[in-house]
């Protein structure tokens, strides 16, 4: 599976209603994960906190389910009738290190297809705002760097959808200079 992008898939959604969950509270369904930057931590975040999901984003679930059905038909993958979703907000200085979305945890369901839908401001400029999604293409399919790789940076423009194979496409989030909001998800099999 290649990395696929669709620009201007949706009009940008503004995230409001930020009543914070108590520190250390588990992520609840319909919650927004907020990253406080910490460059020395494994994933680039000092702590994750949870806030209530804006109601407007709940309407996306039908569209995402139709996408799952189409992807299963086109790829021949047996994607289960569910999706794992997270709404992430990176604060200035936030980033995420190179990784694969399959992780190292053994799960009953394995992540098969990753999706990202950028919900940034309309006037995002990667040259000053940063926050690009970096795809590592080439010989290496693991979390480690390969000399034969090509780097592909995708600007987190509002409404851009990115889809890729969860187990073979290493990627990272470059440091953002302003708040960056993205809906991420995984179709599992």
């Amino acid at each position: 599976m290649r990395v696929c992008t669709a620009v201007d898939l949706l009009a940008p959604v503004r995230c409001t209603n930020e009543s914070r969950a108590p520190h250390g509270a588990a992520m609840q369904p319909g919650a927004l994960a907020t990253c406080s930057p910490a460059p020395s931590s494994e994933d680039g975040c000092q702590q994750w906190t949870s806030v209530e999901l804006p109601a407007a984003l709940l309407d996306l679930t039908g569209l995402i389910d139709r996408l799952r059905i189409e992807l299963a038909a086109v790829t021949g993958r047996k994607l289960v009738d569910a999706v794992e979703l997270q709404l992430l907000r990176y604060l200035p200085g936030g980033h995420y290190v190179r990784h694969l979305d399959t992780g190292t945890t053994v799960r009953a369901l394995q992540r098969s297809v990753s999706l990202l839908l950028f919900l940034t401001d309309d006037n995002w400029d990667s040259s000053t705002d940063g926050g690009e999604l970096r795809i590592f293409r080439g010989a290496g399919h693991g979390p480690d760097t390969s000399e034969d790789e090509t780097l592909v940076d995708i600007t987190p423009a509002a409404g851009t959808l990115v889809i890729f194979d969860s187990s073979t496409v290493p990627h990272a989030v470059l440091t953002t200079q302003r708040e960056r909001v993205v809906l991420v998800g995984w179709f599992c099999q």
Side-chain angles (χ1 to χ4, degrees):
M1 173 181 278
R2 297 181 314 220
V3 175
C4 302
T5 60
V7 179
D8 291 330
L9 181 72
L10 301 169
V13 178
R14 300 291 182 254
C15 295
T16 57
N17 190 9
E18 297 186 5
S19 2
R20 295 190 181 275
H23 175 69
M27 287 295 296
Q28 299 298 316
L32 168 67
T34 302
C35 166
S36 299
S40 62
S41 69
E42 183 177 321
D43 65 2
C45 290
Q46 178 179 0
Q47 80 178 49
W48 292 94
T49 54
S50 173
V51 297
E52 186 177 333
L53 179 68
L57 290 179
L58 295 176
D59 296 336
L60 290 176
T61 58
L63 177 63
I64 290 169
D65 192 51
R66 288 193 304 276
L67 177 61
R68 176 192 58 80
I69 292 166
E70 290 296 320
L71 281 171
V74 170
T75 64
R77 295 180 187 207
K78 296 180 180 179
L79 302 176
V80 297
D81 188 17
V83 63
E84 182 182 349
L85 291 175
Q86 295 178 4
L87 183 63
L88 302 177
R89 182 178 75 176
Y90 289 82
L91 301 177
H95 66 282
Y96 206 98
V97 298
R98 179 186 170 128
H99 65 283
L100 291 171
D101 283 347
T102 50
T104 56
T105 306
V106 176
R107 302 166 175 242
L109 296 174
Q110 294 299 311
R111 291 175 176 173
S112 180
V113 178
S114 299
L115 68 96
L116 293 92
L117 177 61
F118 295 111
L119 303 173
T120 53
D121 289 334
D122 290 330
N123 61 352
W124 193 273
D125 180 355
S126 289
S127 66
T128 57
D129 299 330
E132 297 95 335
L133 173 67
R134 173 162 287 171
I135 303 292
F136 300 87
R137 297 187 66 173
H141 290 297
D144 299 321
T145 303
S146 168
E147 292 181 17
D148 299 331
E149 289 180 321
T150 302
L151 303 179
V152 178
D153 292 343
I154 299 172
T155 299
T160 298
L161 174 69
V162 182
I163 301 170
F164 55 88
D165 185 280
S166 300
S167 64
T168 63
V169 179
H171 57 285
V173 176
L174 302 183
T175 302
T176 183
Q177 302 305 314
R178 60 188 271 214
E179 182 177 282
R180 175 186 181 274
V181 179
V182 60
L183 179 70
V184 298
W186 302 273
F187 298 113
C188 299
Q189 56 182 18

